[in-house]
């Protein structure tokens, strides 16, 4: 099985849209409302043209199984990810985080901190961050996970 991360481009717009509107993804998101295609297209175009955002698609044997988005902040990367519903519960979230860390250290040569925000009921993401050694900080309505790559 070949696992890879590839930079998203405009050809991934529909795929990312479908993933974003998956009911479980919406439930786990801080904005739980369904996203219109018009709003998604505008958002996706802005992200593709941004110098401070990157979206990567994870493939297993040429099949897209998930995505991770990184927003480059001053002193950290704020990430958000999702796994295709067909591939959930199989360890892909944990693997995606690990691959992303490797990508940041090798391809980008960045020494930074990766930060992810997770709702308390998003148990799979909590487990993925914990399995990858992220430090947990609890807030009233969410958990912040952070890992330094320095």
């Amino acid at each position: 099985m070949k696992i890879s991360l590839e930079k998203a481009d405009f050809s991934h717009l529909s795929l990312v849209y479908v993933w974003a509107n998956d009911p479980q993804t919406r439930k786990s998101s801080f904005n739980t409302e369904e996203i219109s295609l018009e709003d998604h297209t505008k958002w996706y175009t802005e992200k593709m043209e941004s110098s401070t955002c990157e979206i990567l698609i994870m493939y297993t044997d040429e099949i897209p199984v998930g995505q991770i988005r990184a927003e480059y902040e001053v002193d950290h990367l704020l990430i958000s990810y999702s796994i295709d519903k067909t591939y959930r519960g199989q360890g892909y979230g944990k693997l995606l985080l690990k691959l992303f860390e490797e990508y940041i250290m090798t391809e980008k040569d960045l020494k930074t901190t990766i930060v992810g925000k997770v709702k308390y009921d998003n148990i799979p993401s909590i487990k993925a961050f914990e399995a990858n050694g992220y430090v947990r900080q609890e807030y009233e309505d969410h958990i912040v996970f952070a890992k330094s790559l320095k």
Side-chain angles (χ1 to χ4, degrees):
M1 174 169 39
K2 180 182 181 256
I3 306 274
S4 63
L5 274 184
E6 295 180 21
K7 285 184 88 159
D9 58 31
F10 283 104
S11 73
H12 297 101
L13 185 144
S14 294
L15 176 65
V16 173
Y17 174 68
V18 168
W19 284 343
N21 272 318
D22 172 80
Q24 186 59 49
T25 301
R26 294 288 10 110
K27 182 177 180 275
S28 297
S29 297
F30 288 94
N31 172 10
T32 57
E33 298 297 315
E34 188 172 327
I35 303 163
S36 72
L37 181 56
E38 180 182 345
D39 286 347
H40 175 75
T41 301
K42 181 180 178 208
W43 173 87
Y44 194 83
T45 300
E46 287 172 1
K47 297 301 177 189
M48 288 291 104
E49 295 172 351
S50 172
S51 62
T52 60
C53 178
E54 191 166 19
I55 300 174
L56 300 166
I57 307 292
M58 183 170 74
Y59 288 87
T60 178
D61 293 332
E62 310 302 319
I63 300 167
V65 297
Q67 64 82 30
I68 189 163
R69 183 181 80 247
E71 302 281 351
Y72 291 77
E73 307 281 335
V74 174
D75 61 349
H76 67 277
L77 293 176
L78 180 60
I79 64 167
S80 176
Y81 76 92
S82 64
I83 302 297
D84 183 287
K85 65 182 177 184
T86 306
Y87 298 93
R88 291 184 190 142
Q90 300 175 42
Y92 284 106
K94 177 181 167 183
L95 181 58
L96 179 57
L97 289 173
K98 184 174 185 273
L99 287 173
F100 180 72
E101 291 170 21
E102 291 170 3
Y103 170 80
I104 291 303
M105 292 187 293
T106 59
E107 300 292 321
K108 294 293 187 179
D109 193 28
L110 279 178
K111 308 290 188 262
T112 189
T113 300
I114 297 176
V115 175
K117 296 178 182 178
V118 181
K119 290 166 66 172
Y120 280 99
D121 62 354
N122 188 348
I123 304 303
S125 284
I126 291 170
K127 288 181 177 179
F129 279 110
E130 288 177 341
N132 281 293
Y134 284 72
V135 176
R136 174 184 181 133
Q137 187 169 3
E138 296 187 8
Y139 293 89
E140 187 175 324
D141 63 344
H142 68 281
I143 305 165
V144 172
F145 287 96
K147 183 174 186 179
S148 175
L149 302 180
K150 298 175 183 173

